[in-house]
Amino acid sequence: MTLAVILLLVFTGAVCTSAATTAHDFRYVYECYESGEVRVDILVDGDVLAYADFSRKEVVFWIPHLPESVKDLKKRAYEIAKSSIIHCRSVMSKAKKASAGAIMRQDAPDVSIYSRYEAADGVANTLFCLADNFYPPSINFTWTKNGAAVSCGVSDLRYSHNGEGTFRRISALSFTPREGDVYSCSVEHQASTRPLARSWELKESPGLSPAAGFFSVSLVLCLLGIMSGAFFFNKQPN
Ligand SMILES: *[C@@H]1O[C@H](CO)[C@@H](O)[C@H](O)[C@H]1NC(C)=O
């Protein structure tokens, strides 16, 4: 992916609202691009709930049904987001003077795959593919089953914001595991030249159960104890 823009800075500002009985954490994340493009994400309690669409002149929410109280906030949220354009301009001009050819910040995601419940043959489950600690917040997930692309039953969850300026996102796949099936999740992010893939398959038919494992470990420890006891007993001077 060739980016004609260079991302320089992210600003996080906290806006407090006293409307709710419980305090929510509202944050605006401004991304200022060298091309002049500005992107504003609105985070509520760490989740990216909305972004400012400057061409539509409004804040667009990722969730379909909004409570009335939030609708009132929409206009104000857009006004705040709009002010970031001016803010970006002034910061960019300062930044350009300070460091010509500043390097774009990029963090490749850490990817992991796991099932919602302990998997059993023929029992419906969900696979999660977690991409964590990446920046900028733009990422693609693709799922395969035995090498063939899967799109049915896939849903990408919202972006979440890690406090230190990186993002996290989960893609979920509803599936029914069968022995021998291999599922794979592949993550594309601009900070990584190759897609990052993780695979998952049903573990071989039940081997050592946790109880049996505990018993064996206890037995080994117990034997070691007896042996070292015997060793020191024999070494004791008469
Ligand atoms: C994600 O996919 C879209 C559409 O295929 C593509 O335009 C975009 O560059 C991809 N993003 C990343 C980060 O690879």
Side-chain angles (χ1 to χ4, degrees), residues 3-183:
L3 266 190
V5 290
I6 294 184
L7 187 63
L8 272 179
L9 294 161
V10 176
F11 297 95
T12 307
V15 174
C16 297
T17 55
S18 51
T21 44
T22 48
H24 288 285
D25 180 37
F26 280 81
R27 271 166 205 274
Y28 288 75
V29 178
Y30 310 140
E31 294 160 36
C32 312
Y33 292 80
E34 208 173 55
S35 63
E37 194 193 329
V38 177
R39 183 181 156 139
V40 181
D41 285 312
I42 296 160
L43 280 68
V44 179
D45 298 333
D47 283 331
V48 181
L49 281 199
Y51 65 95
D53 188 329
F54 292 114
S55 57
R56 280 163 62 181
K57 293 190 171 29
E58 63 172 356
V59 161
V60 180
F61 280 81
W62 292 107
I63 44 175
H65 304 292
L66 290 178
E68 285 302 316
S69 59
V70 175
K71 282 186 185 150
D72 295 342
L73 278 176
K74 253 181 103 161
K75 244 183 126 162
R76 215 180 110 219
Y78 183 71
E79 292 307 314
I80 295 171
K82 221 168 65 178
S83 67
S84 68
I85 297 178
I86 299 159
H87 186 58
C88 268
R89 253 178 227 148
S90 96
V91 167
M92 286 300 281
S93 66
K94 277 184 209 149
K96 269 185 208 161
K97 273 178 228 153
S99 56
I103 297 158
M104 179 174 167
R105 177 183 168 191
Q106 296 206 79
D107 291 316
D110 302 321
V111 181
S112 49
I113 191 168
Y114 53 95
S115 62
R116 179 176 205 146
Y117 309 111
E118 197 175 328
D121 200 350
V123 182
N125 206 327
T126 305
L127 268 185
F128 292 120
C129 183
L130 166 72
D132 205 356
N133 302 317
F134 58 87
Y135 189 87
S138 174
I139 206 158
N140 289 338
F141 293 94
T142 28
W143 287 93
T144 60
K145 176 186 176 182
N146 301 326
V150 178
S151 56
C152 193
V154 173
S155 54
D156 293 345
L157 308 185
R158 285 196 299 266
Y159 285 96
S160 299
H161 194 254
N162 294 323
E164 76 290 3
T166 59
F167 288 80
R168 176 168 17 114
R169 197 177 195 191
I170 292 175
S171 179
L173 169 70
S174 304
F175 79 124
T176 302
R178 295 276 179 210
E179 218 168 305
D181 285 347
V182 180
Y183 290 85

Side-chain angles (χ1 to χ4, degrees), residues 1-2 136-141 159 187-192:
M1 196 168 103
T2 54
S138 174
I139 206 158
N140 289 338
F141 293 94
Y159 285 96
V187 173
E188 272 182 292
H189 187 268
Q190 66 190 62
S192 170

